[in-house]
Amino acid sequence: MSSTAREWREIPGRYNLKGSKCPECGKVFFPKRSMCPLCRRASIGKMIEYKVERKGTVYTYSVVYDVPEANKRMKPYVVGMIRTDDDILLTAQIVDVDPENVEIGMRVQAVLRKIDDDGPSGVIHYGFKFAPCE
Amino acid sequence: MRDVAIIGAGVTRFGELWDKSFRDIGVKAGMLAIGDAGLSGSEVDALFIGNMSAGRFINQQNIGAMIADYAGFALKHIPSTRIEAGAASGGIAFRQGVMAVASGMHDVVVVGGAEKMTDVDDASSNSILDSTADQQWEASMGATMASLFAMIARRYIHEGLATREEIASVSVNGHAHGALNPNAQFRKAIKLESVLRSGMVADPLGLFDCAPISDGAAAVILCPMDKAKEYTDNPVRVAASTQASDTLALFQRDSITSFASTRMAADRAFKTAKLSPSDISVAEVHDCYTIEGLMAAEDLGLYERGRAGKAFLEGQTLFDAGKVAINTSGGLKARGHPIGATGVAQIVEIAEQVRGTADKRQVKGARYGMALNLGGTGSAATVSILEGI
Amino acid sequence: MDVGIVSYGAYVPRYRITPEEIGKVWGENGKAMGKGLFIEQKSVPAPDEDVVTISVAAARAMMARTDVDPREIGALYVGSESHPYAVKPTSTIVAEAIEATPDLTAADMEFACKAGTAGIQVCMGLVGSGMIEYGVAIGADTSQGAPGDALEYSASAGGAAYLIGKKNIIAKINRTISYTTDTPDFWRREGQDYPSHGGRFTGEPAYFRHITNATQRLLADAGTKPGDYDYAVFHQPNGKFPTRVAAMMGFTEAQITKGLMTPYIGNTYSGAVPIGLASVLDIAKPGDRILVVSYGSGAGSDAFDITVTDRIRKYKREAAPTVEKIVSNVKYVDYATYAKFKGKIKMEE
């Protein structure tokens, strides 16, 4: 269900957690936004690139059993919401840990993994997941 | 603005309707509503159709034209509009119809909601549902709709707002009512243990915490209140129909244990209707997942935060408990959840309740009822308050 | 000006399978097989891991330990025999992930198990000639052994990345030489899932001949003897070959132990020597001398004479986990899980 260009243009966010920062109020966003919802017009055209911290804490999570086709070989896998150390909440899979050992408050860090692909002859899409901190 | 009345309501059987096409069910619901209103059909001057994803479920776009055509309106050339807002498509289509009549733009409007989900396999169906979350930053990252609500449930439990048993009891409540609804997909009461023991979908939510995949359609007929008596002795007044939105992705919210969109829509609805939660006798709340229904009861103000779970568990939400009856239709879990039809089916149920035609599941003396229809993880919300006249 | 290693990083997936578990499926005495190969277990990549993700993990560990601006990297090479694409480079993805794009050259390399060290040599040339400031060479693999084949007991996954430069080097590469011939001991034809090999032909005329020739030529050039080295890292398709080749040439067990990772992670192919060297650098002290000899089927050996510098005292080794730490996080899987993870089970597309 993926399109090559659609995924390609999100690479900065997918690989390196590039979001946006509003130069007016300083609030940071992930994924990137072209406008700050608080400063609105004053921020248009002025949003600056912001790299989100790669470490964070598990805010909540679920162990997914009814899985999308792309993740069949990962079943069951853990998806979570991570609060990064710069206070951005985002959703990602949590890997390299047994589901029963995941808990709210656990320290994790971003890693690059395969997200899915466009079939055996299609493009492979990579993006961030989180793994327990070393 | 004119007061708007519901003068007819119709709903098809919900479930796996293998021998029925999208056109079949869409037209059937409309005909039932038109029949209920005692209209010939020629009075209708506009159609609004709630539908989430015929484009992906049956590979058909331009649903407004298709339904108008097969409902026999093509020769009349009336306007027909399809509305999409994820699982809130039906409820928001209803609000569009209400606005069209209230504004004076149209007099007799049919609002339909329909979805034909079983023409694709389960995996495709789930993938379509997941696309009502943020496709790029939630679904693509491995977050299914069920897992997003499971993450809400985990926070709910973590913060001490509800127990796993309380969350599961929303399903028990729905099934108890579904057993009394001849159009429900599941007409069988279930035990709490069955919900807790059901196969995992997204931990902590199991299969019985999740609404099924369904086909179905529902429709209501609207007209100005002052003309309602020309058609029916038993009109229902639309006391309020409001709508609110929120961030597309759940992770962009300040809190995930309450939907601001629901609170805003409810607040606006109570203000418009000049009512408060204590005036409500019966409510249809969006419970695609048990936790969603529980949270809705609190966000609507029917229960204080952290108190709805106990009410569901103790059966205070049943139609005959003498409190606010919740999901007397069976809710999304037991009545079924043909996405685009759900919001309209909720309106049909509340209309039946406040006009006293809900048969075996009739809430005694129900005058005011409300419906909450949600899209995505609360990124779209619409609340309606209906009054029996 | 001296050219050498400015930083390094390694990565090995956490899943492991034992020879015993593999042997059970194929009616073989896996335990004995493991003993014969000196392999206790081998690493298995998770379904969402491949040479790209392993290379990125290693490269990010490498970058975490240095203050070098990624935009100063002028070349990036990923050596592997299991690049996820036949056409479309791994190296561009890695370059993007460490934010080294767009002002650099990048390419994928393949030379069986020595493509990683070949990348180091290329970077040395580019840095030494002044064409680039820094170069990155990565050796990584998610190697495949055909089900039931002897290779299945060893073929594993892992990789390591090296930042090559002139400034602030933690280890000087005194010299490098290669020994190359046309020897078809191991190969994989285009479009084939699994490699083929010449059985015992992979030993004497292949691994041993190339490693010993490269080593002896390097020692002669450098005027050194085995005893002059604190550590020696030889290519390690299993635990047995490097142990034997070391003994043949007069190296002691003490010299090779720290750089011999195959017994714990299996044969990471292009990652093997780079990971072994990383393990040595994890504990190396200023003045330590290290001999590194890779081997790639087909065939060739790259030999390196390395001296650790004083700079290593200031080096932020702790900014990324040591090889010892990486390989201590282990989760064992059974053969069925391994087959599922590695895509050996045919599934509906």
Side-chain angles (χ1 to χ4, degrees), chain C residues 213-250:
Chain C
N213 272 291
T215 305
Q216 279 150 11
R217 280 164 161 77
L218 183 80
L219 296 183
D221 279 6
T224 51
K225 335 176 276 301
D228 295 335
Y229 293 91
D230 299 281
Y231 302 99
V233 182
F234 297 107
H235 178 53
Q236 36 202 274
N238 47 54
K240 190 171 76 175
F241 278 25
T243 307
R244 193 197 292 169
V245 87
M248 278 165 63
M249 295 188 295

Side-chain angles (χ1 to χ4, degrees), chain A residues 1 7 10 14 30-31 33 59-66 69 77 79-81 89 91 93 104 115 128, chain B residues 56 123 126 136-137 140-144 147 150-151 154-155 158-159 200-203 250-252 256:
Chain A
M1 286 308 299
E7 298 292 326
E10 304 298 342
R14 286 285 173 91
F30 186 85
R33 286 177 183 262
Y59 178 71
T60 184
Y61 68 95
S62 172
V63 186
V64 189
Y65 290 84
D66 194 3
E69 291 289 289
Y77 65 88
V79 69
M81 287 189 195
L89 197 62
T91 289
Q93 288 177 47
I104 289 174
I115 299 291
F128 59 84
Chain B
R56 287 183 69 189
N126 283 333
Q136 199 75 45
W137 299 104
S140 287
M141 305 311 275
T144 61
S147 71
M151 288 195 275
R154 191 174 304 280
R155 276 311 297 190
H158 181 77
E159 292 174 18
M200 270 305 168
V201 171
D203 184 54
L250 184 63
F251 64 77
Q252 303 260 353
I256 67 164

Side-chain angles (χ1 to χ4, degrees), chain B residues 251-262:
Chain B
F251 64 77
Q252 303 260 353
R253 315 273 173 79
D254 290 333
S255 165
I256 67 164
T257 48
S258 171
F259 286 161
S261 56
T262 303

Side-chain angles (χ1 to χ4, degrees), chain A residues 33-98:
Chain A
R33 286 177 183 262
S34 55
M35 185 183 86
C36 169
L38 305 172
C39 303
R40 301 170 60 81
R41 207 174 115 188
S43 67
I44 295 175
K46 295 185 198 157
M47 298 295 279
I48 47 182
E49 188 177 271
Y50 175 79
K51 206 170 155 185
V52 178
E53 289 288 333
R54 299 184 67 82
K55 286 189 177 170
T57 305
V58 175
Y59 178 71
T60 184
Y61 68 95
S62 172
V63 186
V64 189
Y65 290 84
D66 194 3
V67 308
E69 291 289 289
N71 295 331
K72 245 180 173 172
R73 286 192 292 147
M74 300 281 289
K75 177 180 174 174
Y77 65 88
V78 182
V79 69
M81 287 189 195
I82 316 299
R83 194 173 292 288
T84 59
D85 288 350
D86 45 355
D87 204 28
I88 280 180
L89 197 62
L90 44 79
T91 289
Q93 288 177 47
I94 301 171
V95 295
D96 286 357
V97 57
D98 298 337

Side-chain angles (χ1 to χ4, degrees), chain B residues 7-9 31-41 43 221 230-232:
Chain B
I7 54 170
M31 290 302 120
L32 286 169
I34 285 172
D36 184 50
L39 303 181
S40 72
E43 306 87 340
I221 315 293
E230 292 173 24
Y231 302 109
T232 178

